[in-house]
Every structure is written in structure tokens, then in C-alpha cells.
């Protein structure tokens, strides 16, 4: 993309109403525009990152054997009357009447609707296990929408639902989700720690939240510091292997790590003092096992091998897709702007032309631009007729991990400059070598 042809409405001033850094940078970098409290338009740059995050979530869900579908945002109230949650959900639910006077709602989550789909089409244990998921907009009329996309009213969520014959199978689904979530967050350059939590209006006893440690997080958390040393890394996972998934679950959840809702001061005392940490965290996902709560209420049963009929065991599993943009920025920025991890960056590499209009520099930039595209990358070429300082400030703000700077002086010596946004280090090399280096960086991602 050439910047002169793009739509990147960068703000010069710090928006007064944005209290935390991710909100400030998302507004300043022209990623989002607020349309009402907690409701945002996704401008091109923000939309691009949102799509990259969505893509990673999809890939890791499919890898775990989960099946994508798409349910609507609007739901009939009658489904929620069956589970009893229409009255229970309270003011967070946006309730709407259609022209026929029928009660509708904008879905805050989809347990009822997925159970309705299941009961209409599945009737036998032979069709299990089954996990269906979608990535769809949700609406929760939050009392205090704030911090931009972090606590929105309309937000994008991945929500998945498992259906299993037995509790044991459903707990395997729970573990499978835990492992796939760990991999998902790591690909985004994030460390998200599973912590024992409270299930709230979803229900059930088994639930873990995934928390990214950040001072601006809304949750108070307590943990054993050694938990931050564990990484999933590149290990091979067989998602059908119950023992392997259970072992990863055990590894990541046996150390003390809890949100304030389930914090137990006595248990915490047992952690050696120097490892006892309390901090704040951003909740980027949550997994639940709630057994037959919805299947019983809504008649989602299957025939068993011995000819009986039982309600299926279920769980639901969410990832805050739009919230993740905020969480990643909170975890990765400096005083100049965002620093995108390579896995989610909106453009792979920026190209800064230090002397727009100079024949030689223009031609060199064009060549680099085309070579990066040819290598399958998505570069952003700042071809504006602007001062170098302004171009650098924009690149730093929008946070592309790599920048190639091209100027007449370097070209005279046959070199351009390759700069890492994260370290700030620059290296001079030929244009070909810079393209090759950037291509190599992304080859493993
Ligand atoms: N049905 C279950 C799992 S699919 C569910 O709704 N879980 S949840 O309530 O925990 O939401 C899942 C994730 O969505 C949360 O972990 C959080 O990351 C994100 N989320 C929840 N509320 C908001 C909000 N108001 N704004 C942005 N993201 C949110």
C-alpha cells in the first residue's frame, strides 16, 4: 500500500478522553473511531489488525479440530426463556422488539442458540464429540464502557461450544481449548496466564480466565511468579491425545494463579514469599465447563450406545478478539507509539522515502516495494511529500516492526537502512539484503 492512496487519519494531538495508552494510540494511529459509548468503527489500519487476529484465532481453532460456523447477532428471546436466562441476564442485555412486536435481543453470547442448532440436527452419541465455534459481534450494555475496545459495548468475540457424551470427554474438550488458547496468544506475541476464575452468568464450576499482565488491566490477580516462566513454544500437540492435553493443562494450572474472585489467602500463603505476586491483568479469554445446564433445560439429548437418552455435556470457550488489540498494545509499546509483534502487524514493513521526488530515491523505493510484494509481504510505502521527521513519527506511531529507509546519501554508497522498531537498531545494507532479511523474519511466522 502507498500511503498517499491509503486512509490513515493520524491524530497529532493526544485525545483528551483516552485514559490508557492502547486507547490513546488506537485513536492517534487512526485505527478506530468512536461512534457512541463503547461502539467503534474500525478504520482501515485497525480493521487490518483485527482481521489478522481473527485469522490466527481461526487457524488455531481449526488445528484443534473445532468447526467454524456463523450465527446471527440478533436472537429471538424465546430461546433465552427456555434456559431461564432471559430474565436473569439483566440490564446488560440489549432488548429489541421487531415490527410484529416479537421480543428479540442482540446476542451477548450464544449458549442457547448453539444448543438449539445441536438439538435440531444431532441425536446420537455417534456424532460426538463435536465443537462448533464462531467469531461474531456481541453486544453487552456494559455499565461503564471504557478504555476503548478493551471494554466495549459492541465487541468481537470468538465463542466455541463443545458437545460431549460424558463429563470426561467434555473435560478433554476443556483441556483442548486451554492448549489451543495458549498457542493462539503466543502467536500474537502475548503471554496469557490461565487463572482459576468465577463463572458469572455463564454458569458451571470449572472455569479459567486467560490474563495478560498489565498495569492498566481491570482484574486484580494473584500468582506464583514461576508461572510466568512456562511457555508452550513450538512443541507438537496432538489434540486427540487426552493424556497430552491433560498434561499441558496440569503444567499450566497447578501453580497458584487466581483472579480476585477466587483468591484464597491461605493457599497463597503456601507459595514462597519471594514468588508471591499480586498484579493487574487484562482478561483476553475464558473457558467454561458447565455440564448439562443448557442441554437439560433445552432438551439437547443423544441416544447412548446402550439405547438410552442423555443430555449432552457442554462447555463454552471465549476469546476477546477486539479486546486483544488493546491488550497487545498495552503489552507492546513505547513513548513513540505501538510496537506490533510480527504475528499481527497490519503491514509487514514500512518504506520511508527521505527525498520524495528525487528520481533515484523514488526508483529505489519502488523497487523495494515491488520486491517485498513479490516475496508475499504487505509493505506500506510512505510516499508522501513530507519531512523525514514526520514520516518517522508516523511509522513509529503505527508500530510496523521493520522499516527500510531510503535516501540519496545512502544510495550513493549503494545502501539503505533497515531498522527494528522494537530495538531501535539500524543497519546499513543493500536494498536486496534488506528485502531478504525482512522476508526471512516472516518466513517462520
Ligand atoms: N460464552 C462464554 C464463552 S464463549 C462467554 O461469553 N465468556 S466471557 O463472558 O468470558 O467472554 C469471553 C471474552 O470476551 C472475555 O474473556 C473477554 O476477553 C471478552 N469480552 C467480554 N466482555 C467484553 C467487552 N465488554 N468488551 C470487549 N471484550 C469483552
Amino acid at each position: 500500500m502507498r500511503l498517499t492512496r491509503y486512509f490513515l487519519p493520524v491524530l497529532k494531538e493526544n485525545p483528551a478522553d483516552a485514559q490508557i495508552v492502547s486507547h490513546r494510540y488506537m485513536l492517534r494511529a487512526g485505527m478506530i473511531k468512536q461512534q457512541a459509548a463503547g461502539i467503534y468503527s474500525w478504520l482501515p489500519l485497525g480493521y487490518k489488525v483485527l482481521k489478522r487476529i481473527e485469522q490466527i484465532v481461526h487457524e488455531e481453532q481449526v488445528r484443534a479440530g473445532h468447526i467454524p460456523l456463523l450465527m446471527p447477532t440478533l436472537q429471538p428471546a424465546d430461546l433465552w426463556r427456555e434456559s431461564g436466562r432471559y430474565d436473569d441476564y439483566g440490564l446488560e442485555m440489549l432488548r429489541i422488539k421487531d415490527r410484529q412486536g416479537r421480543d428479540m435481543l442482540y446476542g451477548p453470547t450464544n449458549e442457547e442458540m448453539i444448543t438449539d442448532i445441536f438439538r435440531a440436527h444431532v441425536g446420537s452419541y455417534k456424532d460426538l464429540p463435536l465443537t462448533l465455534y464462531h467469531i461474531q459481534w456481541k453486544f453487552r450494555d456494559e455499565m461503564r464502557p471504557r478504555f476503548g475496545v478493551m471494554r466495549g459495548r459492541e465487541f468481537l468475540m470468538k465463542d466455541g461450544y463443545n458437545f460431549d457424551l460424558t463429563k470426561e470427554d467434555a473435560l478433554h474438550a476443556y483441556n483442548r481449548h486451554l492448549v489451543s488458547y495458549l498457542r493462539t496468544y503466543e502467536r500474537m506475541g502475548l503471554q496469557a496466564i490461565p487463572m482459576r476464575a468465577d463463572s458469572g452468568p455463564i454458569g458451571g464450576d470449572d472455569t479459567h480466565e486467560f490474563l495478560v499482565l498489565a498495569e492498566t488491566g481491570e482484574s486484580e490477580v494473584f500468582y506464583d511468579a514461576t508461572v510466568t516462566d512456562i511457555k508452550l513454544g513450538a512443541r507438537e500437540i496432538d489434540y486427540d491425545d487426552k493424556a497430552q492435553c491433560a498434561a499441558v493443562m496440569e503444567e499450566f494450572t497447578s501453580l497458584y494463579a487466581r483472579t480476585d474472585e477466587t483468591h484464597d489467602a491461605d493457599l497463597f500463603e503456601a507459595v514462597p514469599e519471594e514468588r508471591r505476586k499480586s498484579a493487574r491483568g487484562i482478561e483476553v479469554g475464558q473457558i467454561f465447563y458447565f455440564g448439562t445446564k443448557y442441554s437439560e433445560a433445552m432438551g439437547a439429548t443423544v441416544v447412548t450406545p446402550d439405547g438410552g437418552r442423555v443430555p449432552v455435556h457442554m462447555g463454552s470457550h471465549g476469546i476477546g478478539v477486539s479486546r486483544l488489540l488493546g491488550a497487545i498494545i498495552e503489552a507492546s509499546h513505547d513513548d513513540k507509539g505501538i510496537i506490533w509483534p510480527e504475528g499481527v502487524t497490519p503491514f509487514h514493513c514500512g518504506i520511508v522515502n527521505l527525498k520524495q521526488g528525487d528520481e533515484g530515491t523514488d526508483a529505489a523505493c519502488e523497487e523495494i516495494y515491488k520486491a517485498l510484494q513479490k516475496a508475499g509481504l504487505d509493505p506500506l510505502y510512505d510516499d508522501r511529500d513530507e519531512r523525514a521527521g514526520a514520516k518517522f513519527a508516523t511509522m513509529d506511531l503505527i508500530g510496523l516492526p521493520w522499516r527500510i529507509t531510503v535516501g540519496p546519501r545512502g544510495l550513493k554508497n549503494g545502501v539503505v537502512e533497515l531498522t527494528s522498531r522494537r530495538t531501535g537498531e539500524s543497519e546499513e545494507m543493500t536494498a536486496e539484503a534488506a528485502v531478504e532479511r525482512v522476508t526471512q523474519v516472516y518466513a517462520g511466522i
Side-chain angles (χ1 to χ4, degrees), residues 292-331:
T292 57
K293 173 175 167 174
Y294 298 91
S295 54
E296 253 179 79
M298 297 181 65
T301 59
V302 289
V303 172
T304 58
D306 58 12
R309 219 168 224 292
V310 293
V312 285
H313 286 259
M314 292 173 60
S316 71
H317 315 277
I319 292 182
V321 174
S322 49
R323 175 179 288 183
L324 271 165
L325 276 94
I328 293 169
I329 297 172
E330 290 297 326

Side-chain angles (χ1 to χ4, degrees), residues 170-212:
L171 290 178
H172 172 55
Y174 187 88
N175 296 344
R176 213 170 52 224
H177 278 89
L178 180 127
V179 180
S180 71
Y181 280 24
L182 291 169
R183 172 155 279 169
T184 302
Y185 299 126
E186 283 188 13
R187 278 187 65 187
M188 296 173 190
L190 281 180
Q191 177 166 42
I193 306 168
M195 299 199 181
R196 188 164 287 285
D198 180 63
S199 65
I202 308 292
D205 298 326
D206 290 295
T207 182
H208 282 88
E209 286 180 0
F210 291 76
L211 286 119
V212 173

